[in-house]
Amino acid sequence: MNARRRPPGTASAQGTPSWLGAVNDRVGLAALLDHGPLTRIGICEIVGVSKPTASLMMTRLIAAGVVEERGTVAGSPGRNAVVYAARLDRPLGVAIDIDAHELRAAVVDAAGTAHPVVRTTLPSETSERDAVREVERAILDASQAAGTEASEVRTVVIGTAGYVDPGGRGELFTETLPNWPQTGLRDTLESALERTVYIENDVNLAAIAEREFGAGREHAEFALLWLGNGVGASFDLSGELYRGTFGGAGEIGFLSVPAEALALAPDAHTLQDLVGGDAVEELRADASGPEFVDALAKRIALAVLPSSRSSTPAGSCSRGRLRPSAVPTSRPPSNARSAGSAAGIPPSSRPA
């Protein structure tokens, strides 16, 4: 578990008692998720804390409603030892992945259970779009599909294409959310839904998933190149997202293509022109089978060059989600699980 992982857009007060307590609590909860019910001694042995610290951790987690006492066991002379267990019924989160045409939502729990993904086609008329109504409906539909109570949803994480202000409460620049507030979106949603809400760039969420569950686990630093209808990137430096001075480090779609790319795509001026969704569709129309895959691979290799100027990580990986008529790609990381990590819900080490 990466104890440094924080909800997107939050600042760290590393070294303060509250920060240390939060880190201990997450590690303690993760131990219960990974190993099942434990006594205080078991928690001490796994987490490496003292008995008083373990007791404080469990007290706080019980008060938060994520841990419960589950009986006692006889041990050494004296009082029986209390057994602590993680509560998997609450609190819950909902992860939302949204683009211009469709909203996808799923319930997220502390154990990383694979809950059904609900897909909702969004209205084409801008006047019919409404951020609060769409998110509220997503919570209800996802909860119904998972067989859980919407009232137990405490946290919502929304992944979307485009630039999201790192502060989480400021500006949102995207063409995929017509009629959604461009400023104050997080405050608007939290006030209306009475839940904690995080809004994050979808490629940054994918990087969190890679760090927790995918190729990123093998590297101290890595870059992720995302190919879909748009082109994006994210950079993980020692477990932290690198956003750049103004938060737009991953907005690489409009970087100029290298000179070598002009031999493959003479009309391409930007990476979007080279490997974006429309460019791949055009390439697909001109080639098929191995010829198409080889041509696309050459373009992707050239796209990595300008994007690497933004950062110099040790490793790299790529993911994508193109239209069905385009090239089949590897399955994108689960936005539900990456959103769960982003929301501070510790994942289980057990595979999904």
Side-chain angles (χ1 to χ4, degrees):
M1 157 178 190
N2 186 348
R4 290 176 297 177
R5 181 69 64 204
R6 300 188 302 276
T10 60
S12 169
Q14 294 188 16
T16 64
S18 60
W19 181 85
L20 292 172
V23 170
N24 283 340
D25 291 353
R26 290 196 63 192
V27 175
L29 178 56
L32 295 176
L33 291 169
D34 292 341
H35 299 278
L38 295 168
T39 64
R40 185 176 61 165
I41 296 298
I43 295 168
C44 292
E45 293 175 349
I46 293 171
V47 178
V49 296
S50 66
K51 291 181 181 179
T53 299
S55 295
L56 289 173
M57 290 162 53
M58 293 302 104
T59 298
R60 289 193 294 263
L61 291 171
I62 290 173
V66 296
V67 168
E68 62 183 355
E69 294 184 0
R70 194 171 293 176
T72 60
V73 295
S76 56
R79 293 189 302 175
N80 290 343
V82 175
V83 176
Y84 300 96
R87 294 193 61 175
L88 302 184
D89 57 334
R90 65 187 180 98
L92 301 172
V94 165
I96 295 174
D97 180 25
I98 188 171
D99 58 33
H101 309 291
E102 186 181 64
L103 182 151
R104 296 162 290 277
V107 167
V108 181
D109 63 28
T113 306
H115 293 292
V117 176
V118 177
R119 297 175 178 269
T120 303
T121 301
L122 298 171
S124 57
E125 293 293 330
T126 301
S127 60
E128 298 179 20
R129 299 294 303 275
D130 180 87
V132 172
R133 185 171 62 244
E134 289 168 16
V135 175
E136 188 172 40
R137 187 67 203 176
I139 295 171
L140 292 172
D141 290 347
S143 299
Q144 183 178 13
T148 58
E149 294 294 331
S151 60
E152 296 296 343
V153 173
R154 311 285 182 82
T155 305
V156 178
V157 178
I158 302 170
T160 183
Y163 170 80
V164 180
D165 174 34
R169 297 183 181 275
E171 296 176 307
L172 171 70
F173 293 105
T174 178
E175 297 177 353
T176 64
L177 302 176
N179 217 32
W180 281 45
Q182 290 188 331
T183 59
L185 174 59
R186 182 178 177 185
D187 285 336
T188 298
L189 291 174
E190 288 190 332
S191 176
L193 302 174
E194 297 183 337
R195 294 174 172 91
T196 301
V197 176
Y198 299 108
I199 302 108
E200 179 60 276
N201 174 267
D202 54 358
V203 187
N204 283 340
L205 287 177
I208 293 175
E210 290 291 346
R211 166 61 66 188
E212 299 286 358
F213 314 112
R217 293 179 296 179
E218 302 174 2
H219 300 281
E221 302 174 351
F222 68 89
L224 185 148
L225 177 64
W226 183 268
L227 303 179
N229 293 332
V231 179
S234 54
F235 306 97
D236 182 299
L237 306 182
S238 301
E240 298 292 341
L241 289 174
Y242 173 73
R243 300 176 183 274
T245 303
F246 299 104
E251 301 300 313
I252 65 169
F254 296 101
L255 289 178
S256 298
V257 299
E260 296 91 332
L262 297 179
L264 302 176
D267 296 328
H269 300 287
T270 66
L271 294 189
Q272 183 69 28
D273 299 332
L274 184 65
V275 290
D278 290 340
V280 174
E281 291 284 1
E282 293 175 4
L283 184 62
R284 180 73 169 183
D286 297 333
S288 61
E291 182 182 356
F292 166 69
V293 174
D294 182 64
L296 180 59
K298 290 178 180 178
R299 292 192 181 202
I300 292 174
L302 291 171
V304 172
L305 295 178
S307 62
S308 66
R309 299 169 190 163
S310 299
S311 183
T312 55
S316 64
C317 53
S318 64
R319 289 289 186 267
R321 182 172 56 210
L322 304 180
R323 287 188 281 264
S325 57
V327 62
T329 62
S330 56
R331 181 185 178 192
S334 165
N335 277 350
R337 298 198 66 179
S338 59
S341 298
I345 300 175
S348 168
S349 62
R350 296 182 293 272

